[in-house]
Amino acid sequence: MPESAPATDHAGRHALAWAGLALGAGAATWIWAFIHHTLLLYGDATAHLAIARRMVDSATPGLSQWGTVWLPLPHLLMAPFVLVTAWWQSGLAGSLPSLAALVVATWLLHRIVARQWGAVAAGWAAAFFCLNPSLLYLSVVPMTESIYLAAFLGVVERCVAYADEPRPATAWQIGAWGLAASLCRYDGWFLLPFALWVVARYAADAQRAMAAGLRFCLVAGIGPVFWLIYNWWYFDDPLAFVRGPYSARQIALRGGTYPGDHNLWLAALYFLKAVTLTCGVPLMLLATAGWLVWRGRGAGWLL
């Protein structure tokens, strides 16, 4: 059932408070990274900044500077800031969108958990999220992870709201967040069918499910369709991002295959190791325990 107005206001204040904590933690992390000269440690970070700068300052500025591989939303968000040369050179131009995305993502995660399990659980979730050292670092450098997480959590938060009250406006909102996700990382393309399933599953009847699904597709579908047209227009191949010279396929051919390719168990082992290295063993075990409790309470659909 939808939340009552007092409960919603109370949860909203808590969500804003945790978003403020995320901003403070991110700002402190940015200062640390700036002092230690690690804002541009990633080669990809400098490449993202270079793309944004070439959009506005190059011999041939414009959309063609996006290239074929990386999706354009992060570069669009950086473009206004790279006009300030000092911000571009220091990396701050790319840090600002990433840090803003961390704040938005923390706020959204708090809203998702508060709606299902209350403010206390939401506070713990927001704390583990916005104080994760790996995520904090990625949220103060010119990378795409925090921007995508904000878009992803926007889709989830609106899906949860739609499941409680399937309103047409919410279907449009899910589509808008899905569009942002699909223009940020290819993970967002994988996300869209699941969001569409939620939109159809929780509509009042078949006719409304069809209408809501159409609303979602009309907005979220813009991202993949635009990228196919963009690659065809500028590079004469709608799948240039898949098979072009800088695609993951071509890089794999030059550098060897991933050991987990077509090997589910080895891929799962690689994934588990990556999670452990990123989060640490205690947080990984705690997350696993939380997932088991979550399943036991019948909330598996949200997964």
Side-chain angles (χ1 to χ4, degrees):
M1 295 293 294
E3 297 170 306
S4 64
T8 301
D9 293 343
H10 184 67
R13 288 194 297 271
H14 274 260
L16 288 175
W18 282 103
L21 174 66
L23 178 61
T29 304
W30 186 91
I31 293 171
W32 177 89
F34 179 78
I35 292 172
H36 290 82
H37 307 288
T38 59
L39 286 175
L40 300 177
L41 197 61
Y42 280 122
D44 284 359
T46 59
H48 288 307
L49 276 177
I51 291 173
R53 180 73 179 195
R54 290 199 304 268
M55 286 174 57
V56 297
D57 180 20
S58 66
T60 55
L63 304 187
S64 63
Q65 297 299 332
W66 285 338
T68 61
V69 178
W70 280 318
L71 288 158
L73 181 59
H75 310 125
L76 281 171
L77 296 176
M78 295 177 196
F81 304 111
V82 297
L83 290 169
V84 182
T85 302
W87 293 5
W88 168 52
Q89 292 174 336
S90 68
L92 176 61
S95 300
L96 292 172
S98 293
L99 181 54
L102 174 69
V103 175
V104 173
T106 303
W107 176 72
L108 288 166
L109 179 63
H110 190 283
R111 286 176 59 87
I112 293 166
V113 180
R115 182 183 289 269
Q116 297 293 322
W117 295 287
V120 174
W124 279 105
F128 277 116
F129 181 80
C130 74
L131 298 179
N132 180 298
S134 295
L135 179 58
L136 277 172
Y137 177 70
L138 285 171
S139 299
V140 301
V141 297
M143 298 291 282
T144 64
E145 280 76 8
S146 66
I147 299 173
Y148 173 73
L149 280 172
F152 167 77
L153 289 169
V155 171
V156 175
E157 193 276 333
R158 289 292 82 195
C159 281
V160 174
Y162 183 86
D164 283 344
E165 186 179 2
R167 299 170 55 223
T170 309
W172 288 115
Q173 293 163 358
I174 297 170
W177 280 113
L179 172 60
S182 69
L183 288 176
C184 183
R185 292 174 65 94
Y186 295 103
D187 314 43
W189 295 27
F190 181 76
L191 172 66
L192 297 184
F194 297 96
L196 177 61
W197 177 83
V198 172
V199 169
R201 166 67 176 80
Y202 289 94
D205 52 50
Q207 184 176 359
R208 293 181 184 180
M210 183 68 70
L214 181 60
R215 294 185 188 98
F216 170 80
C217 291
L218 284 174
V219 181
I222 293 173
V225 171
F226 165 77
W227 197 237
L228 291 168
I229 295 173
Y230 167 85
N231 276 262
W232 169 74
W233 180 263
Y234 284 107
F235 304 100
D236 298 320
D237 182 2
L239 295 176
F241 61 95
V242 174
R243 55 197 179 198
Y246 303 104
S247 64
R249 176 185 294 179
Q250 293 300 320
I251 292 173
L253 290 175
R254 293 194 296 268
T257 59
Y258 161 59
D261 189 24
H262 292 85
N263 187 329
L264 179 60
W265 295 111
L266 187 57
L269 181 62
Y270 269 70
F271 178 77
L272 180 63
K273 188 64 175 180
V275 171
T276 305
L277 289 172
T278 301
C279 299
V281 174
L283 186 56
M284 186 271 290
L285 294 175
L286 185 61
T288 304
W291 178 77
L292 293 172
V293 171
W294 189 17
R295 290 284 297 177
R297 292 186 178 184
W301 69 268
L302 191 60
L303 183 60

